[in-house]
Amino acid sequence: MQKKSLPPEKVRVVCNLEWLPFNTTAEVPPIEGIIGQERAAKAIEFGLQIEQDGYNIYVSGIPGSGRTTSVEVAVREIAKKRPTPDDWCYVYNFKEPDSPEYLRFPPGKAEVFRKDMETLVEELKIDLPRAFESKAYEEQKNSIIRKFQKRKEEIVSEIEERAKNASFALKHTPSGFVFVPLVEGKPLTDEDMEKLTEEARKEIKTKEEVLVSELAEAFREIRQADRATREELQKIEHETTLFTVSPRINELKEKYAEFPDVIEYLEEVQKDIVENPSNFEEKKDVEILPGLKAPIRENQLFKYQVNVLIDNSKTQGAPVVKETQPTCYNLTGRIEYRPTLGAMFTDFTMIKPGAIHKANGGYLILNILDVLRNYYAWDALKRTIKNKDIRIEDINEQFRIINTPTLKPKPIPANVKIILIGSPLIYYLLYTYDEDFEKLFKVRADFSSTMDRNIDGVRQYAEFISRRVKEDGLKEFDREAVAKVIEYGSRIVSDQKKLSTRFMEISDLLKEANYWTKVDSSETVKQQHVQKAIEEKIYRSNLIEKRIEELMKDGIIMVDTDGEAVGQVNGLSVITLGDYQFGKPSRITATVSMGKGGLIHIDREVKMAGTIHNKGFLILKGLFAEKFGKNFPLSFSATLCFEQVYEEIEGDSASSTEYYGLISGISGIPLKQGIAVTGSINQKGEVQAIGGVNEKIEGFYSICKIKGLTGNQGVIIPEKNITHLMLKEEVVEAISQGKFHVWAVKDVDEGIEILTGIPAGKIQKDGTYPEGTVNYIVSQKLMEFFRKAKEIEKKLKGSVEKRPRK
C-alpha cells in the first residue's frame, strides 16, 4: 500500500497564540540575564563563584548566539555583590631607580595620597627657599664661612712670616704660589742669582725647599678646613631642610599609619629631600645654541610624584572589563616615552595600566580569537594567571640588537577572573596543543545554538523581543508579529521543537521588520512586516539561485518534473553561499548491463566525490548485496552519475536516490520524474535523516512551480526528518491544496513504491520476493544476468577446449 503524503500541519508548526497572552510587546517585561542557556548559566555561575586557582572560564558557542552579551550581564550581576578592590599606584624607587615600586590603597585612597604628595611638594617649593633665605640661616652660614676665611688667612699669614724670616717673599701667580728670594728686602733676579757663589745658591735652594714643604702642609690644612666648612654648611642645610620637611612628613605618616609600605616610602622621600634640597631651587632653561634651549627638569621633583595606576573610587563592586583590542600592551600595561633633543626618555610617571590592572580584583572578558591574533598576548595572559602578578615589559626588547636601558616596574599582585569567549574549535585546539590551557581554564560554559520551543521558550522569546524593542528604540510588535518571529526562530534551526539562540540574526530581523513598518506608516509591527523583512532578506541573496532556476526552465540544466523514465531520478543538494542556503535538484542516472564490472560511480572514479559520499556509495553496495545477493552471486555492471555536476559531491544524502535509480535501471520499471528524493541509507535499507531538508523541498518546489504544478509532484524525505520541517508558507499552501506533496519514508521499500506505484515486496522465508513486486522483478533480472553470464562462460570455455593444440 502506497504511503500517504504529509498533511499541512506536519510540514510547518505555527506558533500557538494562546502562549502569547498580550496584545503588543509594550505589555511584556524585558528579559534579563541569559536566555535559553540553563547549562551555560550554571557553568558561568560556578566559574564566577569558585575562588580556587585555575577556575577561569571558557565560554564556547557560535557567533551571534548572544554569548558575549549574556556573559557580560551575568558577570556584572555577580560583580555588584563583590567588594570593591584596592587602588594601585607606582612611586619612585629611591634604592633601585630603574624598578619603580608599587603602593596599595583602599578604594579612593590612592588619589588622596597623590594629592597629599602634590601638596607637600608645592608647599616645600615655597617653604624651603624661604628657609634658606631666612636671616638666622644666613647668619649661621656666614659665620661658618667667615670662620673658614679667617683660618685660611691665618695660615697664609704664617707662611708669609716664615718666608720673610727666611728672606723670601710669597707671591701669587696664575700657576699658583711661588717663593722669591730677597736681599736687603729686594727680590733677586736671575742675573743676581748667577752672580752668587755656589754655596749661597745652594743655601737659598735649601731654604726654598723647606718653605715649599711648609706651604704644601698649609694647603693641606686649608683643604681640610674647606672640607670641614662644606660639611658644616651641608649639615646646617640638612638641619634646616629637615626642620622644614619633617613636620609635614610626620603629618602624612600619621595619616597613613596603617600602611607600612607608605610609611617606608615617606621616610625615603624625606631622606631624599634632605639630601637634595637644591631640587626645590628654581631652575631655568640653558641656551646650548642660539635659539635652542635645553630644558632643565625642575622636576627632579618628579621623584616625589605619585602615578595612580588604578583608581577605584567610583567603582561599585568588583570591576568588569571587556577588552576588545587585547594586545600585549593593552593587557599588561606599557611604558611610554617622551622625545627630548632626539632621544627618548621615560620615568615611572609614564607607566600606563593594562586591562588586567583595571580588572584586578574583578573580571576580565576577552575574545580568544582576538587574543591569539596579537603577538605575545596569549603568553602574557597565561604568565599573569600562573605567576599571579602583572608584569609590565617592553616586548620589543628581545628584538633589539643592542638593548637600551628601560624601566622594569615591580609586578603588581594579580587576582582576576578571566572569561574567554570563543568557538568550540579553538577550545579543542587549545586543550589538545597547549599544555597550560587545561590547568588555567577549568570551567567550560557551552552555549547551545538552540533552545526548547515550549511555552517557557516562547515566552522568553517574546521577552527578548520586548528588550530589543526598548533598547534599540523599535516600534512595538503585536502578538501575531511575535509569533512570526518565533516561527522564523524554528526555521533557522530547521526544527519544529527548537528555537534558534542566534539572537544577532533575530535582532536583525526585528530591525528590518521595524524598517518596513515605517515604510508602511504603521504604528505597530505586524506579521506582514516580519514576512516582508524575511522575503526581502532572501531577495537580496538569491541571485544565483534564480539564475540556476532560469537555466533549468530553459532546459540548459536538464531536470524533468513530469512523466516517467527508467534509470533516472531527481536528487537534491544544498548550496551554501555565505549566510544563504538553497536547494538545487540534480538528475541522477543509472545504466545497467551484463558483466562482472559491478557497481561503479563515475564521480567517484574521477575523484569528484568526497569521503562521506564514497562511504554512502559503499553502503549502497552493501545494501544491494544484502537484498539480492543471498541466493546467487551478483553478476552485472552498472554505473551511476550526477549529471551536469562539475564540482565536488559531498555527503551521503543522495545514497537512497542512487539506490532508486539503480533499481529502476535493473528492473526496467520507470520512475516518476515529478518526485525528487533525499535521504541517506544504511546497509539494512533504513532511510536516515539528512540536513537541509527545508531548502531541498523548497528548491524542487520552485522548479515544479516554474515548469507547472501538476498535483503529482513532491519530495520523498526520511521519516526522521518530519520534526525538522518548517517550510515556507507558500509551499504549505500548495500542499494544503494538493498541488504538491511531501512523503516521509522509513525504508527504501516505501520510497520505491511511491516512485513506481508498484509494491516493493517483503522478503519471504525462502529468500525470494512475492511475484509482481519491484524487488521480485529486480531479483529475476539479476538472476537472468547471472544465468546468461554462466552460459556465456560455458561457451567461451568450450570454444577454448575445442581449439587444436600446436
Side-chain angles (χ1 to χ4, degrees):
M1 181 179 174
Q2 185 174 325
K3 196 158 190 176
K4 291 183 179 180
S5 61
L6 296 175
E9 61 271 14
K10 285 285 187 179
V11 298
R12 181 185 178 91
V13 176
V14 297
C15 183
N16 187 351
L17 292 179
E18 292 181 1
W19 290 0
L20 302 172
F22 55 86
N23 293 317
T24 70
T25 49
E27 304 167 23
V28 181
I31 196 167
E32 295 180 0
I34 300 175
I35 308 168
Q37 303 285 355
E38 184 181 353
R39 185 191 305 273
K42 286 185 176 180
I44 291 170
E45 183 180 5
F46 168 76
L48 294 176
Q49 298 284 11
I50 192 168
E51 300 289 342
Q52 274 68 31
D53 295 339
Y55 283 86
N56 296 293
I57 306 169
Y58 187 100
V59 178
S60 171
I62 59 174
S65 60
R67 52 188 183 165
T68 303
T69 304
S70 299
V71 166
E72 198 170 344
V73 170
V75 173
R76 291 191 185 283
E77 193 61 34
I78 288 179
K80 290 177 185 176
K81 305 169 186 174
R82 303 298 297 272
T84 304
D86 291 339
D87 292 346
W88 297 91
C89 59
Y90 271 111
V91 293
Y92 189 80
N93 188 337
F94 296 96
K95 295 176 181 176
E96 299 177 62
D98 290 339
S99 297
E101 191 62 82
Y102 65 80
L103 295 177
R104 183 174 190 168
F105 292 93
K109 277 278 189 179
E111 183 62 23
V112 174
F113 181 68
R114 184 192 70 78
K115 290 180 179 177
D116 286 344
M117 289 300 296
E118 195 175 85
T119 301
L120 171 69
V121 170
E122 290 301 317
E123 289 178 351
L124 291 178
K125 282 167 71 175
I126 297 170
D127 292 347
L128 271 179
R130 184 182 293 167
F132 291 128
E133 291 168 4
S134 67
K135 185 176 180 180
Y137 176 78
E138 285 294 331
E139 288 178 354
Q140 198 172 2
K141 177 181 174 183
N142 291 335
S143 173
I144 294 169
I145 293 172
R146 284 195 300 270
K147 180 180 176 183
F148 167 72
Q149 292 292 346
K150 183 180 178 182
R151 178 59 185 149
K152 182 178 178 181
E153 290 171 0
E154 288 175 354
I155 293 170
V156 171
S157 297
E158 287 178 9
I159 291 297
E160 287 177 340
E161 185 64 30
R162 290 178 186 176
K164 185 178 179 181
N165 293 335
S167 298
F168 277 87
L170 181 64
K171 296 188 72 175
H172 184 66
T173 68
S175 60
F177 287 98
V178 295
F179 289 100
V180 179
L182 300 173
V183 174
E184 295 179 358
K186 294 181 180 180
L188 289 176
T189 64
D190 291 339
E191 293 177 358
D192 294 336
M193 287 288 291
E194 289 294 329
K195 294 177 183 178
L196 297 175
T197 63
E198 184 67 27
E199 284 186 17
R201 288 199 300 271
K202 190 174 182 181
E203 182 182 354
I204 290 171
K205 189 168 184 63
T206 301
K207 289 180 180 180
E208 185 179 5
E209 288 176 354
V210 172
L211 288 172
V212 168
S213 175
E214 290 177 351
L215 180 62
E217 180 63 26
F219 280 160
R220 187 185 66 79
E221 190 175 346
I222 290 171
R223 285 195 298 274
Q224 287 178 345
D226 181 58
R227 190 178 302 115
T229 299
R230 285 201 305 272
E231 288 174 356
E232 208 169 339
L233 288 172
Q234 191 176 51
K235 181 181 177 183
I236 66 163
E237 187 180 69
H238 287 179
E239 287 174 351
T240 303
T241 305
L242 183 61
F243 180 78
T244 307
V245 171
S246 59
R248 294 168 175 80
I249 294 291
N250 288 337
E251 285 179 16
L252 293 178
K253 283 183 179 180
E254 289 176 14
K255 186 173 181 179
Y256 298 97
E258 57 186 303
F259 308 112
D261 291 344
V262 177
I263 299 299
E264 184 179 345
Y265 168 71
L266 289 171
E267 288 173 353
E268 291 292 333
V269 168
Q270 178 172 296
K271 182 180 176 183
D272 188 76
I273 293 174
V274 168
E275 290 176 355
N276 301 284
S278 60
N279 289 341
F280 291 85
E281 294 176 3
E282 184 178 355
K283 294 183 174 64
K284 297 179 181 178
D285 293 346
V286 177
E287 190 169 17
I288 55 176
L289 287 173
L292 180 62
K293 292 184 178 181
I296 294 180
R297 195 166 181 183
E298 159 196 20
N299 298 307
Q300 276 301 326
L301 300 180
F302 83 95
K303 295 189 290 185
Y304 315 125
Q305 292 179 9
V306 176
N307 179 6
V308 178
L309 206 67
I310 297 298
D311 177 16
N312 285 316
S313 58
K314 297 179 181 178
T315 304
Q316 300 295 323
V320 178
V321 177
K322 179 184 171 186
E323 179 55 61
T324 56
Q325 183 63 21
T327 63
C328 183
Y329 290 137
N330 285 353
L331 286 176
T332 60
R334 65 188 182 279
I335 302 169
E336 294 183 344
Y337 291 82
R338 180 189 298 108
T340 304
L341 298 176
M344 304 299 288
F345 293 90
T346 188
D347 57 57
F348 75 95
T349 63
M350 287 184 273
I351 299 173
K352 303 299 178 184
I356 302 177
H357 291 100
K358 297 172 185 175
N360 203 9
Y363 307 92
L364 177 60
I365 301 172
L366 300 168
N367 186 296
I368 182 60
L369 194 57
D370 292 337
V371 175
L372 295 175
R373 281 174 176 157
N374 288 286
Y375 294 116
Y376 302 104
W378 177 240
D379 290 333
L381 183 66
K382 290 195 299 178
R383 185 170 59 246
T384 299
I385 299 172
K386 286 193 289 186
N387 298 339
K388 298 182 184 178
D389 60 31
I390 313 168
R391 194 175 297 273
I392 301 176
E393 293 181 317
D394 183 1
I395 59 175
N396 295 315
E397 196 173 341
Q398 55 192 297
F399 298 112
R400 297 190 187 112
I401 296 174
I402 301 173
N403 283 335
T404 55
T406 187
L407 298 179
K408 295 188 180 297
K410 295 287 178 68
I412 289 175
N415 176 28
V416 60
K417 183 78 73 173
I418 308 294
I419 299 102
L420 294 181
I421 298 174
S423 68
L425 175 61
I426 295 179
Y427 176 85
Y428 297 132
L429 288 173
L430 289 173
Y431 194 92
T432 303
Y433 296 108
D434 191 320
E435 61 182 13
D436 297 321
F437 184 74
E438 182 183 0
K439 304 170 190 173
L440 303 179
F441 292 87
K442 297 183 179 181
V443 180
R444 181 183 178 187
D446 263 330
F447 269 66
S448 173
S449 60
T450 64
M451 59 186 284
D452 291 335
R453 182 177 170 178
N454 50 28
I455 187 169
D456 290 335
V458 166
R459 288 183 177 173
Q460 283 187 26
Y461 240 60
E463 291 169 0
F464 168 76
I465 294 170
S466 176
R467 187 173 85 184
R468 292 265 54 88
V469 165
K470 291 170 177 59
E471 290 182 0
D472 296 336
L474 309 179
K475 293 192 175 185
E476 301 293 345
F477 282 60
D478 69 14
R479 186 166 64 161
E480 289 75 17
V482 171
K484 184 66 71 175
V485 173
I486 290 168
E487 290 170 18
Y488 181 74
S490 282
R491 170 56 194 255
I492 294 173
V493 295
S494 297
D495 199 321
Q496 298 173 356
K497 299 177 182 178
K498 298 289 182 181
L499 291 169
S500 173
T501 57
R502 299 187 70 168
F503 293 110
M504 183 174 71
E505 194 166 345
I506 301 299
S507 296
D508 291 344
L509 177 64
L510 301 179
K511 293 170 187 174
E512 291 167 22
N514 182 72
Y515 168 79
W516 292 112
T517 303
K518 290 181 179 178
V519 171
D520 198 30
S521 301
S522 176
E523 290 299 318
T524 58
V525 181
K526 302 184 183 299
Q527 63 175 341
Q528 61 264 30
H529 301 132
V530 177
Q531 184 62 35
K532 177 73 171 174
I534 294 170
E535 290 171 356
E536 288 293 325
K537 182 176 182 180
I538 293 172
Y539 179 74
R540 293 194 297 269
S541 304
N542 69 354
L543 176 63
I544 294 175
E545 179 186 13
K546 292 305 173 185
R547 178 59 180 148
I548 291 172
E549 288 177 0
E550 288 175 12
L551 294 173
M552 290 182 180
K553 178 185 177 182
D554 297 338
I556 297 170
I557 297 177
M558 293 184 288
V559 173
D560 292 335
T561 60
D562 197 13
E564 295 182 339
V566 174
Q568 180 176 300
V569 63
N570 291 321
L572 296 168
S573 60
V574 174
I575 295 176
T576 302
L577 300 172
D579 63 343
Y580 183 66
Q581 290 184 327
F582 62 93
K584 174 181 172 290
S586 298
R587 176 181 288 179
I588 299 174
T589 58
T591 60
V592 181
S593 63
M594 290 179 57
K596 293 186 177 181
L599 193 53
I600 296 173
H601 202 299
I602 292 174
D603 300 287
R604 180 169 182 255
E605 292 299 313
V606 297
K607 299 187 179 353
M608 284 180 63
T611 54
I612 298 174
H613 178 270
N614 291 339
K615 177 186 177 183
F617 175 68
L618 295 175
I619 289 172
L620 168 60
K621 293 176 73 173
L623 170 60
F624 224 76
E626 167 76 11
K627 291 182 76 70
F628 304 110
K630 290 187 175 180
N631 293 332
F632 55 88
L634 297 179
S635 181
F636 71 100
S637 293
T639 58
L640 289 166
C641 181
F642 278 77
E643 304 292 354
Q644 292 184 291
V645 174
Y646 306 105
E647 62 274 358
E648 184 181 68
I649 301 165
E650 184 57 299
D652 62 352
S653 65
S655 54
S656 65
T657 316
E658 293 167 339
Y659 173 84
Y660 300 136
L662 188 59
I663 290 291
S664 174
I666 294 171
S667 66
I669 301 172
L671 301 178
K672 297 173 183 177
Q673 297 302 293
I675 299 175
V677 182
T678 185
S680 71
I681 54 174
N682 61 28
Q683 293 190 104
K684 298 300 181 181
E686 295 171 313
V687 180
Q688 303 168 145
I690 46 83
V693 64
N694 293 295
E695 290 80 4
K696 290 176 178 178
I697 294 171
E698 291 164 359
F700 190 66
Y701 169 80
S702 295
I703 299 304
C704 292
K705 182 183 174 184
I706 291 169
K707 293 193 171 188
L709 293 169
T710 64
N712 297 318
Q713 295 150 330
V715 177
I716 297 174
I717 67 168
E719 191 176 70
K720 301 294 185 184
N721 279 119
I722 293 176
T723 188
H724 303 137
L725 293 176
M726 283 297 294
L727 296 175
K728 291 179 181 176
E729 291 175 330
E730 180 187 354
V731 182
V732 177
E733 182 64 24
I735 290 172
S736 65
Q737 293 175 4
K739 295 180 181 179
F740 195 76
H741 306 275
V742 175
W743 295 274
V745 298
K746 288 191 294 186
D747 54 44
V748 291
D749 288 343
E750 290 183 353
I752 200 67
E753 289 178 357
I754 296 168
L755 285 165
T756 62
I758 302 171
K762 298 295 181 184
I763 194 165
Q764 301 175 118
K765 290 182 179 180
D766 59 357
T768 63
Y769 292 95
E771 290 188 24
T773 63
V774 175
N775 289 334
Y776 174 80
I777 297 170
V778 172
S779 63
Q780 290 301 305
K781 288 283 187 179
L782 292 172
M783 176 63 78
E784 185 180 341
F785 286 155
F786 173 68
R787 285 173 182 162
K788 287 183 178 180
K790 292 295 286 183
E791 289 173 6
I792 293 169
E793 189 178 344
K794 282 182 181 180
K795 287 180 182 180
L796 290 172
K797 189 175 181 181
S799 65
V800 170
E801 290 175 353
K802 289 178 182 179
R803 286 181 188 173
R805 296 184 180 181
K806 293 182 180 180

